[in-house]
Amino acid sequence: MELREELPGDFDGIRELNRLAFDGDDEGRLVDALRADGLTIASLVAIIDGKLAGHVLFSRLWIETGEGNCLAASLAPMAVQPGMQRSGIGSALARRGIEICRDRGYTIALVVGHPGYYPRFGFSAEKARTLSSPYEGPAFMALELTPGALEGVAGTVKYPAAFSMFD
């Protein structure tokens, strides 16, 4: 399996992969909108036997606190070809994306996802308890990319406009 940053020639395949994985077009449109708005931190693809097997996007968002805005990374969406799921592709993409976010200076990552899946990467609903979000609940989780990054951070998560299609 090859993991790499997306290339312009991957865009149609990423859109189709998200359509198949999520049974709809919203996630593909989200990727396109975040990319067009210049909010991409890391957009990674997994290639197996020359074919697109998976994709993950990490994009910028903000946490409004009493002391000002705090920049964070959002993991959304992550898609793996149906029939190839549960084979480690998504885990490899998530781990590499987390490393890239850390390398690029981000200290906090957020995800809205399956509470039984994302804790394996260190995401925790408990870590997100001081953050207000339109996606609150057990699926709303945070990860400290730098130890202690969420200590004393309380505020409202401001997702980019592209996420409004999920409201």
Side-chain angles (χ1 to χ4, degrees):
M1 175 171 53
E2 174 192 3
L3 297 180
R4 63 167 171 77
E5 292 273 357
E6 70 174 15
L7 300 170
D10 298 323
F11 295 174
D12 289 342
I14 290 169
R15 198 173 306 110
E16 177 64 7
L17 171 63
N18 277 281
R19 187 186 69 72
L20 293 170
F22 292 103
D23 197 28
D25 295 323
D26 286 349
E27 285 78 6
R29 287 198 314 261
L30 175 63
V31 171
D32 289 341
L34 291 168
R35 186 188 300 119
D37 290 344
L39 297 172
T40 300
I41 299 167
S43 186
L44 305 174
V45 294
I47 307 295
I48 297 177
D49 296 328
K51 296 181 181 164
L52 182 63
H55 172 258
V56 68
L57 179 71
F58 286 82
S59 61
R60 287 189 291 279
L61 56 68
W62 295 264
I63 302 168
E64 289 183 351
T65 72
E67 291 78 43
N69 288 339
C70 177
L71 189 60
S74 170
L75 188 170
M78 182 165 64
V80 174
Q81 286 285 356
M84 299 180 89
Q85 296 170 353
R86 301 192 188 317
S87 65
I89 296 167
S91 291
L93 286 164
R95 284 190 179 95
R96 181 68 187 120
I98 289 167
E99 288 173 15
I100 290 171
C101 289
R102 190 177 283 122
D103 291 346
R104 293 182 179 167
Y106 288 80
T107 61
I108 299 167
L110 303 174
V111 69
V112 178
H114 196 285
Y117 181 76
Y118 288 96
R120 72 184 68 189
F121 310 111
F123 285 96
S124 157
E126 175 63 21
K127 289 281 185 190
R129 76 186 183 297
T130 61
L131 305 176
S132 173
S133 164
Y135 310 108
E136 290 180 27
F140 177 63
M141 295 173 267
L143 167 66
E144 292 179 322
L145 299 174
T146 300
L150 283 162
E151 288 177 20
V153 175
T156 302
V157 177
K158 295 297 181 181
Y159 284 86
F163 282 89
S164 66
M165 70 180 75
F166 296 101
D167 292 344

PDB file of all heavy atoms in Angstrom, residues 34 39 59-65 68-74 110 131-135 140 155-163:
ATOM      1  N   LEU A  34     -13.709  22.229   0.884  1.00  0.00           N
ATOM      2  CA  LEU A  34     -12.601  22.549   1.796  1.00  0.00           C
ATOM      3  C   LEU A  34     -11.308  22.773   1.017  1.00  0.00           C
ATOM      4  O   LEU A  34     -10.534  23.672   1.327  1.00  0.00           O
ATOM      5  CB  LEU A  34     -12.433  21.442   2.836  1.00  0.00           C
ATOM      6  CG  LEU A  34     -13.572  21.343   3.856  1.00  0.00           C
ATOM      7  CD1 LEU A  34     -13.468  20.054   4.654  1.00  0.00           C
ATOM      8  CD2 LEU A  34     -13.605  22.556   4.766  1.00  0.00           C
ATOM      9  N   LEU A  39      -8.432  25.224   2.862  1.00  0.00           N
ATOM     10  CA  LEU A  39      -8.411  24.825   4.268  1.00  0.00           C
ATOM     11  C   LEU A  39      -7.753  23.465   4.507  1.00  0.00           C
ATOM     12  O   LEU A  39      -7.706  22.988   5.640  1.00  0.00           O
ATOM     13  CB  LEU A  39      -9.839  24.822   4.821  1.00  0.00           C
ATOM     14  CG  LEU A  39     -10.515  26.198   4.824  1.00  0.00           C
ATOM     15  CD1 LEU A  39     -11.980  26.082   5.206  1.00  0.00           C
ATOM     16  CD2 LEU A  39      -9.782  27.147   5.753  1.00  0.00           C
ATOM     17  N   SER A  59      -8.529  19.133   7.765  1.00  0.00           N
ATOM     18  CA  SER A  59      -8.669  20.541   7.380  1.00  0.00           C
ATOM     19  C   SER A  59      -8.672  21.421   8.624  1.00  0.00           C
ATOM     20  O   SER A  59      -8.850  20.949   9.742  1.00  0.00           O
ATOM     21  CB  SER A  59      -9.956  20.745   6.571  1.00  0.00           C
ATOM     22  OG  SER A  59     -11.093  20.394   7.351  1.00  0.00           O
ATOM     23  N   ARG A  60      -8.465  22.722   8.379  1.00  0.00           N
ATOM     24  CA  ARG A  60      -8.404  23.695   9.476  1.00  0.00           C
ATOM     25  C   ARG A  60      -9.808  24.054   9.963  1.00  0.00           C
ATOM     26  O   ARG A  60     -10.739  24.194   9.180  1.00  0.00           O
ATOM     27  CB  ARG A  60      -7.719  24.972   9.008  1.00  0.00           C
ATOM     28  CG  ARG A  60      -6.233  24.820   8.838  1.00  0.00           C
ATOM     29  CD  ARG A  60      -5.546  26.152   8.575  1.00  0.00           C
ATOM     30  NE  ARG A  60      -5.852  26.728   7.272  1.00  0.00           N
ATOM     31  CZ  ARG A  60      -5.273  26.367   6.134  1.00  0.00           C
ATOM     32  NH1 ARG A  60      -4.372  25.424   6.126  1.00  0.00           N
ATOM     33  NH2 ARG A  60      -5.599  26.947   5.014  1.00  0.00           N
ATOM     34  N   LEU A  61      -9.890  24.240  11.277  1.00  0.00           N
ATOM     35  CA  LEU A  61     -11.062  24.842  11.911  1.00  0.00           C
ATOM     36  C   LEU A  61     -10.580  25.606  13.131  1.00  0.00           C
ATOM     37  O   LEU A  61      -9.402  25.569  13.465  1.00  0.00           O
ATOM     38  CB  LEU A  61     -12.129  23.802  12.247  1.00  0.00           C
ATOM     39  CG  LEU A  61     -11.794  22.599  13.108  1.00  0.00           C
ATOM     40  CD1 LEU A  61     -11.502  22.956  14.538  1.00  0.00           C
ATOM     41  CD2 LEU A  61     -12.941  21.631  13.063  1.00  0.00           C
ATOM     42  N   TRP A  62     -11.493  26.311  13.788  1.00  0.00           N
ATOM     43  CA  TRP A  62     -11.102  27.182  14.888  1.00  0.00           C
ATOM     44  C   TRP A  62     -11.942  26.891  16.112  1.00  0.00           C
ATOM     45  O   TRP A  62     -13.110  26.515  16.008  1.00  0.00           O
ATOM     46  CB  TRP A  62     -11.266  28.645  14.487  1.00  0.00           C
ATOM     47  CG  TRP A  62     -10.336  29.014  13.396  1.00  0.00           C
ATOM     48  CD1 TRP A  62      -9.111  29.617  13.532  1.00  0.00           C
ATOM     49  CD2 TRP A  62     -10.487  28.763  11.991  1.00  0.00           C
ATOM     50  NE1 TRP A  62      -8.511  29.743  12.304  1.00  0.00           N
ATOM     51  CE2 TRP A  62      -9.332  29.234  11.335  1.00  0.00           C
ATOM     52  CE3 TRP A  62     -11.476  28.175  11.220  1.00  0.00           C
ATOM     53  CZ2 TRP A  62      -9.155  29.143   9.966  1.00  0.00           C
ATOM     54  CZ3 TRP A  62     -11.301  28.066   9.851  1.00  0.00           C
ATOM     55  CH2 TRP A  62     -10.146  28.556   9.246  1.00  0.00           C
ATOM     56  N   ILE A  63     -11.329  27.086  17.258  1.00  0.00           N
ATOM     57  CA  ILE A  63     -12.032  27.031  18.533  1.00  0.00           C
ATOM     58  C   ILE A  63     -12.001  28.445  19.085  1.00  0.00           C
ATOM     59  O   ILE A  63     -10.925  29.000  19.331  1.00  0.00           O
ATOM     60  CB  ILE A  63     -11.342  26.061  19.518  1.00  0.00           C
ATOM     61  CG1 ILE A  63     -11.251  24.657  18.918  1.00  0.00           C
ATOM     62  CG2 ILE A  63     -12.099  26.050  20.852  1.00  0.00           C
ATOM     63  CD1 ILE A  63     -10.339  23.708  19.689  1.00  0.00           C
ATOM     64  N   GLU A  64     -13.191  29.045  19.231  1.00  0.00           N
ATOM     65  CA  GLU A  64     -13.288  30.393  19.806  1.00  0.00           C
ATOM     66  C   GLU A  64     -13.274  30.263  21.318  1.00  0.00           C
ATOM     67  O   GLU A  64     -14.133  29.598  21.900  1.00  0.00           O
ATOM     68  CB  GLU A  64     -14.568  31.082  19.351  1.00  0.00           C
ATOM     69  CG  GLU A  64     -14.562  31.487  17.901  1.00  0.00           C
ATOM     70  CD  GLU A  64     -15.826  32.246  17.507  1.00  0.00           C
ATOM     71  OE1 GLU A  64     -16.795  32.310  18.309  1.00  0.00           O
ATOM     72  OE2 GLU A  64     -15.853  32.756  16.381  1.00  0.00           O
ATOM     73  N   THR A  65     -12.283  30.888  21.946  1.00  0.00           N
ATOM     74  CA  THR A  65     -12.175  30.860  23.399  1.00  0.00           C
ATOM     75  C   THR A  65     -12.248  32.295  23.921  1.00  0.00           C
ATOM     76  O   THR A  65     -12.209  33.245  23.139  1.00  0.00           O
ATOM     77  CB  THR A  65     -10.842  30.227  23.844  1.00  0.00           C
ATOM     78  OG1 THR A  65      -9.779  31.133  23.566  1.00  0.00           O
ATOM     79  CG2 THR A  65     -10.594  28.896  23.164  1.00  0.00           C
ATOM     80  N   GLY A  68      -9.297  34.248  22.646  1.00  0.00           N
ATOM     81  CA  GLY A  68      -9.091  34.372  21.207  1.00  0.00           C
ATOM     82  C   GLY A  68      -9.313  33.044  20.509  1.00  0.00           C
ATOM     83  O   GLY A  68      -9.813  32.086  21.099  1.00  0.00           O
ATOM     84  N   ASN A  69      -8.948  32.987  19.251  1.00  0.00           N
ATOM     85  CA  ASN A  69      -9.161  31.774  18.463  1.00  0.00           C
ATOM     86  C   ASN A  69      -7.966  30.831  18.572  1.00  0.00           C
ATOM     87  O   ASN A  69      -6.817  31.255  18.567  1.00  0.00           O
ATOM     88  CB  ASN A  69      -9.386  32.127  16.998  1.00  0.00           C
ATOM     89  CG  ASN A  69     -10.738  32.757  16.773  1.00  0.00           C
ATOM     90  OD1 ASN A  69     -11.654  32.605  17.571  1.00  0.00           O
ATOM     91  ND2 ASN A  69     -10.877  33.467  15.672  1.00  0.00           N
ATOM     92  N   CYS A  70      -8.275  29.554  18.631  1.00  0.00           N
ATOM     93  CA  CYS A  70      -7.275  28.492  18.696  1.00  0.00           C
ATOM     94  C   CYS A  70      -7.449  27.644  17.435  1.00  0.00           C
ATOM     95  O   CYS A  70      -8.538  27.151  17.163  1.00  0.00           O
ATOM     96  CB  CYS A  70      -7.530  27.669  19.954  1.00  0.00           C
ATOM     97  SG  CYS A  70      -6.464  26.259  20.166  1.00  0.00           S
ATOM     98  N   LEU A  71      -6.401  27.492  16.661  1.00  0.00           N
ATOM     99  CA  LEU A  71      -6.449  26.724  15.425  1.00  0.00           C
ATOM    100  C   LEU A  71      -6.371  25.235  15.742  1.00  0.00           C
ATOM    101  O   LEU A  71      -5.607  24.813  16.606  1.00  0.00           O
ATOM    102  CB  LEU A  71      -5.287  27.139  14.524  1.00  0.00           C
ATOM    103  CG  LEU A  71      -5.261  26.605  13.104  1.00  0.00           C
ATOM    104  CD1 LEU A  71      -6.510  27.030  12.330  1.00  0.00           C
ATOM    105  CD2 LEU A  71      -4.015  27.105  12.381  1.00  0.00           C
ATOM    106  N   ALA A  72      -7.187  24.442  15.039  1.00  0.00           N
ATOM    107  CA  ALA A  72      -7.198  22.994  15.234  1.00  0.00           C
ATOM    108  C   ALA A  72      -7.382  22.299  13.885  1.00  0.00           C
ATOM    109  O   ALA A  72      -7.691  22.947  12.879  1.00  0.00           O
ATOM    110  CB  ALA A  72      -8.313  22.595  16.198  1.00  0.00           C
ATOM    111  N   ALA A  73      -7.191  20.995  13.893  1.00  0.00           N
ATOM    112  CA  ALA A  73      -7.379  20.178  12.695  1.00  0.00           C
ATOM    113  C   ALA A  73      -8.649  19.350  12.853  1.00  0.00           C
ATOM    114  O   ALA A  73      -8.956  18.864  13.938  1.00  0.00           O
ATOM    115  CB  ALA A  73      -6.183  19.252  12.503  1.00  0.00           C
ATOM    116  N   SER A  74      -9.370  19.205  11.754  1.00  0.00           N
ATOM    117  CA  SER A  74     -10.563  18.371  11.724  1.00  0.00           C
ATOM    118  C   SER A  74     -10.311  17.173  10.815  1.00  0.00           C
ATOM    119  O   SER A  74      -9.910  17.353   9.666  1.00  0.00           O
ATOM    120  CB  SER A  74     -11.745  19.180  11.186  1.00  0.00           C
ATOM    121  OG  SER A  74     -12.856  18.337  10.941  1.00  0.00           O
ATOM    122  N   LEU A 110      -9.780  17.263  15.976  1.00  0.00           N
ATOM    123  CA  LEU A 110     -11.152  16.915  16.329  1.00  0.00           C
ATOM    124  C   LEU A 110     -11.724  15.981  15.276  1.00  0.00           C
ATOM    125  O   LEU A 110     -11.338  16.036  14.106  1.00  0.00           O
ATOM    126  CB  LEU A 110     -12.019  18.176  16.409  1.00  0.00           C
ATOM    127  CG  LEU A 110     -11.557  19.258  17.374  1.00  0.00           C
ATOM    128  CD1 LEU A 110     -12.432  20.500  17.240  1.00  0.00           C
ATOM    129  CD2 LEU A 110     -11.579  18.748  18.807  1.00  0.00           C
ATOM    130  N   LEU A 131     -15.538  21.698  24.960  1.00  0.00           N
ATOM    131  CA  LEU A 131     -15.756  22.341  23.668  1.00  0.00           C
ATOM    132  C   LEU A 131     -17.220  22.212  23.265  1.00  0.00           C
ATOM    133  O   LEU A 131     -17.808  21.133  23.336  1.00  0.00           O
ATOM    134  CB  LEU A 131     -14.873  21.694  22.597  1.00  0.00           C
ATOM    135  CG  LEU A 131     -13.376  21.658  22.895  1.00  0.00           C
ATOM    136  CD1 LEU A 131     -12.643  20.897  21.804  1.00  0.00           C
ATOM    137  CD2 LEU A 131     -12.827  23.068  23.063  1.00  0.00           C
ATOM    138  N   SER A 132     -17.777  23.311  22.833  1.00  0.00           N
ATOM    139  CA  SER A 132     -19.141  23.321  22.335  1.00  0.00           C
ATOM    140  C   SER A 132     -19.089  23.165  20.818  1.00  0.00           C
ATOM    141  O   SER A 132     -18.284  23.819  20.152  1.00  0.00           O
ATOM    142  CB  SER A 132     -19.806  24.645  22.724  1.00  0.00           C
ATOM    143  OG  SER A 132     -21.076  24.743  22.127  1.00  0.00           O
ATOM    144  N   SER A 133     -19.944  22.295  20.287  1.00  0.00           N
ATOM    145  CA  SER A 133     -19.926  22.013  18.857  1.00  0.00           C
ATOM    146  C   SER A 133     -21.334  21.662  18.396  1.00  0.00           C
ATOM    147  O   SER A 133     -22.118  21.108  19.169  1.00  0.00           O
ATOM    148  CB  SER A 133     -18.987  20.832  18.582  1.00  0.00           C
ATOM    149  OG  SER A 133     -19.204  20.288  17.313  1.00  0.00           O
ATOM    150  N   PRO A 134     -21.660  21.936  17.137  1.00  0.00           N
ATOM    151  CA  PRO A 134     -22.960  21.496  16.636  1.00  0.00           C
ATOM    152  C   PRO A 134     -23.062  19.973  16.570  1.00  0.00           C
ATOM    153  O   PRO A 134     -24.133  19.433  16.375  1.00  0.00           O
ATOM    154  CB  PRO A 134     -23.048  22.122  15.241  1.00  0.00           C
ATOM    155  CG  PRO A 134     -21.694  22.589  14.891  1.00  0.00           C
ATOM    156  CD  PRO A 134     -20.910  22.717  16.160  1.00  0.00           C
ATOM    157  N   TYR A 135     -21.938  19.280  16.747  1.00  0.00           N
ATOM    158  CA  TYR A 135     -21.909  17.826  16.647  1.00  0.00           C
ATOM    159  C   TYR A 135     -21.602  17.177  17.992  1.00  0.00           C
ATOM    160  O   TYR A 135     -20.935  16.148  18.045  1.00  0.00           O
ATOM    161  CB  TYR A 135     -20.860  17.405  15.606  1.00  0.00           C
ATOM    162  CG  TYR A 135     -21.015  18.131  14.305  1.00  0.00           C
ATOM    163  CD1 TYR A 135     -20.102  19.114  13.919  1.00  0.00           C
ATOM    164  CD2 TYR A 135     -22.089  17.881  13.461  1.00  0.00           C
ATOM    165  CE1 TYR A 135     -20.246  19.798  12.716  1.00  0.00           C
ATOM    166  CE2 TYR A 135     -22.244  18.563  12.259  1.00  0.00           C
ATOM    167  CZ  TYR A 135     -21.319  19.522  11.903  1.00  0.00           C
ATOM    168  OH  TYR A 135     -21.466  20.202  10.726  1.00  0.00           O
ATOM    169  N   PHE A 140     -18.373  13.099  19.115  1.00  0.00           N
ATOM    170  CA  PHE A 140     -17.527  14.290  19.020  1.00  0.00           C
ATOM    171  C   PHE A 140     -16.329  14.087  19.935  1.00  0.00           C
ATOM    172  O   PHE A 140     -16.474  14.009  21.156  1.00  0.00           O
ATOM    173  CB  PHE A 140     -18.312  15.544  19.399  1.00  0.00           C
ATOM    174  CG  PHE A 140     -17.483  16.799  19.398  1.00  0.00           C
ATOM    175  CD1 PHE A 140     -16.893  17.260  18.241  1.00  0.00           C
ATOM    176  CD2 PHE A 140     -17.295  17.516  20.568  1.00  0.00           C
ATOM    177  CE1 PHE A 140     -16.124  18.405  18.229  1.00  0.00           C
ATOM    178  CE2 PHE A 140     -16.537  18.674  20.578  1.00  0.00           C
ATOM    179  CZ  PHE A 140     -15.950  19.123  19.406  1.00  0.00           C
ATOM    180  N   GLY A 155     -14.288  26.453  24.765  1.00  0.00           N
ATOM    181  CA  GLY A 155     -14.829  27.367  23.776  1.00  0.00           C
ATOM    182  C   GLY A 155     -15.749  26.681  22.797  1.00  0.00           C
ATOM    183  O   GLY A 155     -16.182  25.542  23.004  1.00  0.00           O
ATOM    184  N   THR A 156     -16.011  27.382  21.725  1.00  0.00           N
ATOM    185  CA  THR A 156     -16.944  26.933  20.701  1.00  0.00           C
ATOM    186  C   THR A 156     -16.186  26.607  19.424  1.00  0.00           C
ATOM    187  O   THR A 156     -15.432  27.431  18.919  1.00  0.00           O
ATOM    188  CB  THR A 156     -17.989  28.028  20.417  1.00  0.00           C
ATOM    189  OG1 THR A 156     -18.664  28.343  21.638  1.00  0.00           O
ATOM    190  CG2 THR A 156     -18.994  27.562  19.378  1.00  0.00           C
ATOM    191  N   VAL A 157     -16.406  25.412  18.915  1.00  0.00           N
ATOM    192  CA  VAL A 157     -15.770  24.987  17.678  1.00  0.00           C
ATOM    193  C   VAL A 157     -16.505  25.634  16.509  1.00  0.00           C
ATOM    194  O   VAL A 157     -17.731  25.549  16.413  1.00  0.00           O
ATOM    195  CB  VAL A 157     -15.791  23.449  17.542  1.00  0.00           C
ATOM    196  CG1 VAL A 157     -15.194  23.018  16.221  1.00  0.00           C
ATOM    197  CG2 VAL A 157     -15.056  22.809  18.712  1.00  0.00           C
ATOM    198  N   LYS A 158     -15.749  26.296  15.652  1.00  0.00           N
ATOM    199  CA  LYS A 158     -16.303  26.960  14.471  1.00  0.00           C
ATOM    200  C   LYS A 158     -15.861  26.202  13.229  1.00  0.00           C
ATOM    201  O   LYS A 158     -14.719  26.315  12.796  1.00  0.00           O
ATOM    202  CB  LYS A 158     -15.840  28.426  14.402  1.00  0.00           C
ATOM    203  CG  LYS A 158     -16.358  29.277  15.536  1.00  0.00           C
ATOM    204  CD  LYS A 158     -17.870  29.340  15.475  1.00  0.00           C
ATOM    205  CE  LYS A 158     -18.417  30.217  16.579  1.00  0.00           C
ATOM    206  NZ  LYS A 158     -19.871  30.274  16.562  1.00  0.00           N
ATOM    207  N   TYR A 159     -16.777  25.410  12.699  1.00  0.00           N
ATOM    208  CA  TYR A 159     -16.486  24.662  11.480  1.00  0.00           C
ATOM    209  C   TYR A 159     -16.592  25.584  10.280  1.00  0.00           C
ATOM    210  O   TYR A 159     -17.419  26.496  10.254  1.00  0.00           O
ATOM    211  CB  TYR A 159     -17.464  23.505  11.328  1.00  0.00           C
ATOM    212  CG  TYR A 159     -17.159  22.344  12.244  1.00  0.00           C
ATOM    213  CD1 TYR A 159     -17.645  22.313  13.542  1.00  0.00           C
ATOM    214  CD2 TYR A 159     -16.375  21.280  11.801  1.00  0.00           C
ATOM    215  CE1 TYR A 159     -17.358  21.244  14.388  1.00  0.00           C
ATOM    216  CE2 TYR A 159     -16.089  20.224  12.634  1.00  0.00           C
ATOM    217  CZ  TYR A 159     -16.577  20.214  13.920  1.00  0.00           C
ATOM    218  OH  TYR A 159     -16.276  19.168  14.760  1.00  0.00           O
ATOM    219  N   PRO A 160     -15.785  25.352   9.247  1.00  0.00           N
ATOM    220  CA  PRO A 160     -15.895  26.132   8.024  1.00  0.00           C
ATOM    221  C   PRO A 160     -17.285  25.995   7.402  1.00  0.00           C
ATOM    222  O   PRO A 160     -17.994  25.001   7.636  1.00  0.00           O
ATOM    223  CB  PRO A 160     -14.826  25.516   7.110  1.00  0.00           C
ATOM    224  CG  PRO A 160     -13.844  24.895   8.038  1.00  0.00           C
ATOM    225  CD  PRO A 160     -14.657  24.411   9.203  1.00  0.00           C
ATOM    226  N   ALA A 161     -17.655  26.947   6.572  1.00  0.00           N
ATOM    227  CA  ALA A 161     -18.982  26.983   5.951  1.00  0.00           C
ATOM    228  C   ALA A 161     -19.299  25.690   5.201  1.00  0.00           C
ATOM    229  O   ALA A 161     -20.459  25.283   5.133  1.00  0.00           O
ATOM    230  CB  ALA A 161     -19.080  28.186   5.021  1.00  0.00           C
ATOM    231  N   ALA A 162     -18.297  25.036   4.645  1.00  0.00           N
ATOM    232  CA  ALA A 162     -18.535  23.810   3.875  1.00  0.00           C
ATOM    233  C   ALA A 162     -19.251  22.747   4.698  1.00  0.00           C
ATOM    234  O   ALA A 162     -20.006  21.931   4.146  1.00  0.00           O
ATOM    235  CB  ALA A 162     -17.214  23.270   3.348  1.00  0.00           C
ATOM    236  N   PHE A 163     -19.071  22.730   6.003  1.00  0.00           N
ATOM    237  CA  PHE A 163     -19.718  21.737   6.851  1.00  0.00           C
ATOM    238  C   PHE A 163     -21.215  21.980   7.022  1.00  0.00           C
ATOM    239  O   PHE A 163     -21.927  21.121   7.519  1.00  0.00           O
ATOM    240  CB  PHE A 163     -19.047  21.683   8.234  1.00  0.00           C
ATOM    241  CG  PHE A 163     -17.752  20.919   8.253  1.00  0.00           C
ATOM    242  CD1 PHE A 163     -16.548  21.557   7.999  1.00  0.00           C
ATOM    243  CD2 PHE A 163     -17.737  19.558   8.538  1.00  0.00           C
ATOM    244  CE1 PHE A 163     -15.360  20.851   8.028  1.00  0.00           C
ATOM    245  CE2 PHE A 163     -16.541  18.841   8.562  1.00  0.00           C
ATOM    246  CZ  PHE A 163     -15.353  19.492   8.301  1.00  0.00           C
TER     247      PHE A 163
END
